[in-house]
Amino acid sequence: MTDAVEEGIEALSFRDPDRAGALRERLADLVETVDTPVRVVHVCGSHEEAIAEYGLRAVLPDGLTVAMGPGCPVCVTDSAEVDEAVALARSGAVVATYGDMLRVPGSDGSLADARDEGADVRVVYSAAEAADIARETDDEVVFFGVGFETTAAPTASVLREGVPSNFSVLSAHKYVPPAMELVADHPDTRVDGFLAAGHAATITGTEVYERVAADYDLPVVVGGFEPVDVLYGLVELLEQLADGTATVENAYPRCVSRAGNEAAQEALWTVFERVPGQWRGIAEVPDATLQLRAEYAAHDARERFDIDAGDGDDRATDCICGEIMAGRAEPADCPLLGEACTLADPVGACMVSDEGPCRIDQEYGEVRGR
């Protein structure tokens, strides 16, 4: 048997109906043992997509609710950060970013709008690709860097390895654990445990969540993204609730360790420092926005350019993306969903991003009924 065949069989095993059924039965037993409604908040748009795509909510036992938290990086990119990118594009810089960001509205249009007006806005898959663009031109090239630890670490590595003088980064990168603490702290958000994102933990390891579990007396389980991964993560959470414990468990050991990727962490914290910053529509989150350190000021777009992003405020709309990302509302609660806000004509970031709960709701129709 070749390695490729073995890998294929292993992948299929994570979609095995028999294994999923056994986990579902275990969940039902655990909910009965806990004997009170349980509300789990997951912290990843990829979890939301897996739950919706495979119809997992339909097989969850009564008494177990799984809601989305602040785990979509595009959705939590603040409109002021989008405004900065749009202003840079309109000023003549080449702005390179991930495809999801193009249609995310700022207070004065999106990057797609700027491109329609003639600005040079390009889609890339990495900071390295954006740096390559800078090597091929004398124009200023700005990488609009968004995402959590998983994308911030590669951005940091590119800067450490050396980039052309005409390359800079507009950082909207964010760091997840403080946002989980904010959600746990909020009096209007009920959370009995967190299902944390496996890909962010490949960088940071599971250790970073130990403070969340200890300080808030909440179980945290790091989970993968196949259907059986998600169900297994929920079983691990319910096992803790049934036992009355609150620790960090790793339900994604094939990719995640307690220590994480230490080389990536070294690059991340050499280049970035944590500062307070706005998470779109949610709040200012302490120590959860990643800012370039002073040593990298020459490649920091905010230091390099006098960015005139205006003083607009998109929060005058009826969009409730912030409430949804904070785990306090469902997409169905939004008065714009499917009417004024659609896949073809999105109003909020949650309808734009592939990981956005409103987009997933419209594509799969599974988000309702959490």
Side-chain angles (χ1 to χ4, degrees):
M1 185 180 295
T2 66
D3 290 346
V5 170
E6 287 182 346
E7 289 172 5
I9 290 173
E10 183 182 9
L12 288 172
S13 72
F14 294 110
R15 302 175 186 177
D16 184 330
D18 291 337
R19 295 177 69 185
L23 290 167
R24 193 271 176 195
E25 290 176 7
R26 181 60 183 152
L27 278 174
D29 291 342
L30 289 165
V31 168
E32 189 172 332
T33 301
V34 174
D35 197 27
T36 185
V38 174
R39 188 171 190 269
V40 170
V41 171
H42 72 73
V43 196
C44 184
S46 295
H47 279 148
E48 186 60 46
E49 188 165 27
I51 289 167
E53 182 176 1
Y54 294 101
L56 297 184
R57 284 196 176 85
V59 302
L60 295 180
D62 291 342
L64 174 59
T65 302
V66 181
M68 180 153 182
C72 168
V74 170
C75 302
V76 300
T77 300
D78 195 59
S79 61
E81 294 168 328
V82 176
D83 289 348
E84 290 178 309
V86 170
L88 283 169
R90 286 172 173 162
S91 73
V94 178
V95 172
T97 192
Y98 302 117
D100 271 14
M101 286 306 304
L102 255 62
R103 294 202 302 159
V104 175
S107 58
D108 186 23
S110 66
L111 283 169
D113 294 329
R115 187 168 65 178
D116 289 345
E117 296 162 7
D120 193 344
V121 178
R122 306 190 193 186
V123 173
V124 293
Y125 292 97
S126 66
E129 188 178 343
D132 286 341
I133 294 172
R135 293 186 180 95
E136 296 166 357
T137 180
D138 293 329
D139 295 335
E140 292 287 344
V141 176
V142 178
F143 175 60
F144 184 28
V146 303
F148 302 130
E149 297 89 320
T150 319
T151 54
T155 300
S157 294
V158 166
L159 288 172
R160 286 187 81 191
E161 289 167 3
V163 292
S165 60
N166 62 331
F167 176 81
S168 56
V169 173
L170 178 67
S171 176
H173 286 301
K174 292 179 169 52
Y175 183 64
V176 171
M180 293 169 63
E181 294 181 32
L182 184 141
V183 169
D185 244 345
H186 200 286
D188 295 335
T189 304
R190 183 190 158 204
V191 52
D192 298 309
F194 284 111
L195 182 63
H199 39 37
T202 61
I203 302 297
T204 61
T206 62
E207 187 175 5
V208 296
Y209 301 113
E210 291 175 2
R211 174 176 141 173
V212 178
D215 288 359
Y216 295 92
D217 195 27
L218 289 172
V220 179
V221 173
V222 174
F225 306 99
E226 292 290 347
V228 168
D229 285 325
V230 174
L231 292 172
Y232 178 58
L234 293 174
V235 165
E236 288 290 297
L237 278 166
L238 270 292
E239 295 273 11
Q240 290 198 49
L241 292 172
D243 292 342
T245 57
T247 62
V248 177
E249 298 287 347
N250 182 5
Y252 197 33
R254 65 184 185 276
C255 295
V256 173
S257 65
R258 182 172 184 268
N261 185 330
E262 295 179 89
Q265 290 172 40
E266 181 187 1
L268 181 66
W269 300 124
T270 298
V271 171
F272 289 106
E273 59 185 339
R274 291 160 50 187
V275 298
Q278 286 288 339
W279 287 46
R280 188 178 187 125
I282 299 176
E284 180 175 286
V285 185
D287 297 330
T289 291
L290 298 178
Q291 170 183 281
L292 289 174
R293 292 185 182 274
E295 295 90 328
Y296 291 88
H299 297 292
D300 185 340
R302 293 189 178 91
E303 297 291 333
R304 192 181 182 96
F305 303 101
D306 182 16
I307 305 174
D308 181 8
D311 56 359
D313 185 353
D314 70 329
R315 293 168 202 154
T317 74
D318 292 327
C319 172
I320 63 167
C321 279
E323 292 294 301
I324 295 169
M325 298 308 299
R328 296 193 290 268
E330 313 288 341
D333 296 328
C334 183
L336 308 182
L337 186 77
E339 300 292 337
C341 182
T342 64
L343 295 174
D345 188 17
V347 173
C350 290
M351 186 64 85
V352 176
S353 172
D354 287 342
E355 297 183 55
C358 296
R359 183 180 185 88
I360 293 169
D361 178 281
Q362 294 295 284
E363 287 189 347
Y364 297 105
E366 281 281 350
V367 179
R368 297 182 181 90
R370 284 172 174 159

